[in-house]
Amino acid sequence: YDIDEKRRFVEAQTNSATHTLGRKDYTYFHAMARYEISDKWEATVAYNNTWRKYRNREAESQEMFTSYENRNKASATVTFSPSNTLSLLAGIEMLSISNRQNGERGTHTSWLPKLQGYWKPLRQARLTLIYFNEVFFPNLDMLSPVSWNVSANMIQSGNPALKSRTMHYAQADLTIFDFLTFHYIYRMSNNDIIDWYEMAAPDKVKRTYIN
């Protein structure tokens, strides 16, 4: 799809507008297979691919920001269910991302485990345990260095140097009598992406993103 974007921000009696021109193209493919090894064992494999091309520039500038991104994700899980009161799942996912921005290339590969368990020792109680982690790579809008005016005193810009964020999740749920649930979740992250403000001129503030 094409982007032809006009942004206008109003602050008190001050108007500012920036005309941004750009284009985004993408394709997506997904496939999954499931195999019942026996009445107690089951396996799944999955693969998906996402390809993106992104170009944009300010209308008043001829300098174009160009980025290509190719994401490959493959995963496999094995489930063991000896009875309807016990189920265990283990899996692994490989995420590989290759990108090129204005001629600079980079490839990132991450291995993401997943564990899940379900146990119902009593008719009135059941326990569910889950662990997984995920990697968030900044989207192309966040990486683009193109700037625009938010107000007379603030501009917005992306940061091409942003790194990916890794988030770990561990979760436990204990349900008793079908109406009382004790829920615990633990989350830990690295390289969080936050808003960052800095002076760009004596009367101008720049808002961007940092890890």
Side-chain angles (χ1 to χ4, degrees):
Y1 55 93
D2 291 324
I3 300 172
D4 188 357
E5 206 170 59
K6 293 183 179 180
R7 302 178 180 178
R8 181 174 298 277
F9 300 86
V10 179
E11 180 180 341
Q13 302 301 316
T14 304
N15 293 347
S16 63
T18 302
H19 190 191
T20 304
L21 302 175
R23 179 180 174 88
K24 290 181 180 179
D25 302 285
Y26 72 91
T27 62
Y28 177 77
F29 170 81
H30 175 78
M32 181 178 179
R34 174 173 164 265
Y35 179 66
E36 292 186 2
I37 304 171
S38 69
D39 58 347
K40 297 180 180 180
W41 291 89
E42 179 182 290
T44 65
V45 293
Y47 169 77
N48 65 56
N49 172 265
T50 305
W51 176 86
R52 296 185 179 96
K53 179 182 177 181
Y54 181 59
R55 294 176 295 167
N56 72 335
R57 66 177 176 85
E58 298 173 26
E60 297 78 13
S61 171
Q62 296 304 313
E63 185 175 351
M64 180 75 71
F65 172 78
T66 304
S67 182
Y68 299 86
E69 181 182 83
N70 189 37
R71 299 191 177 205
N72 293 282
K73 184 166 68 174
S75 62
T77 64
V78 176
T79 304
F80 175 59
S81 303
S83 68
N84 58 5
T85 61
L86 178 64
S87 178
L88 302 172
L89 179 146
I92 190 72
E93 182 178 279
M94 186 205 72
L95 175 64
S96 179
I97 298 182
S98 300
N99 54 28
R100 186 170 81 246
Q101 296 177 27
N102 285 354
E104 296 186 10
R105 297 175 180 266
T107 300
H108 316 275
T109 301
S110 303
W111 294 90
L112 312 175
K114 180 180 181 180
L115 300 171
Q116 185 171 323
Y118 172 82
W119 183 38
K120 190 176 182 180
L122 303 171
R123 193 175 73 172
Q124 298 86 4
R126 61 182 181 270
L127 176 66
T128 302
L129 302 172
I130 298 173
Y131 167 77
F132 68 96
N133 62 33
E134 63 179 6
V135 177
F136 170 76
F137 285 85
N139 59 48
L140 301 180
D141 293 301
M142 299 173 72
L143 294 170
S144 173
V146 170
S147 301
W148 65 86
N149 295 318
V150 177
S151 69
N153 302 106
M154 180 176 289
I155 59 174
Q156 172 79 43
S157 178
N159 178 6
L162 280 180
K163 299 178 181 178
S164 61
R165 181 195 71 191
T166 303
M167 180 75 80
H168 298 264
Y169 293 89
Q171 181 176 318
D173 290 296
L174 175 62
T175 301
I176 303 174
F177 300 116
D178 289 330
F179 66 85
L180 179 62
T181 298
F182 297 93
H183 174 75
Y184 175 80
I185 185 167
Y186 174 81
R187 293 183 293 184
M188 182 180 70
S189 64
N190 299 321
N191 285 333
D192 274 349
I193 298 173
I194 63 172
D195 291 342
W196 179 260
Y197 300 85
E198 60 187 29
M199 296 302 297
D203 61 345
K204 188 81 70 174
V205 175
K206 177 182 177 180
R207 181 173 66 194
T208 185
Y209 310 95
I210 65 166
N211 291 113

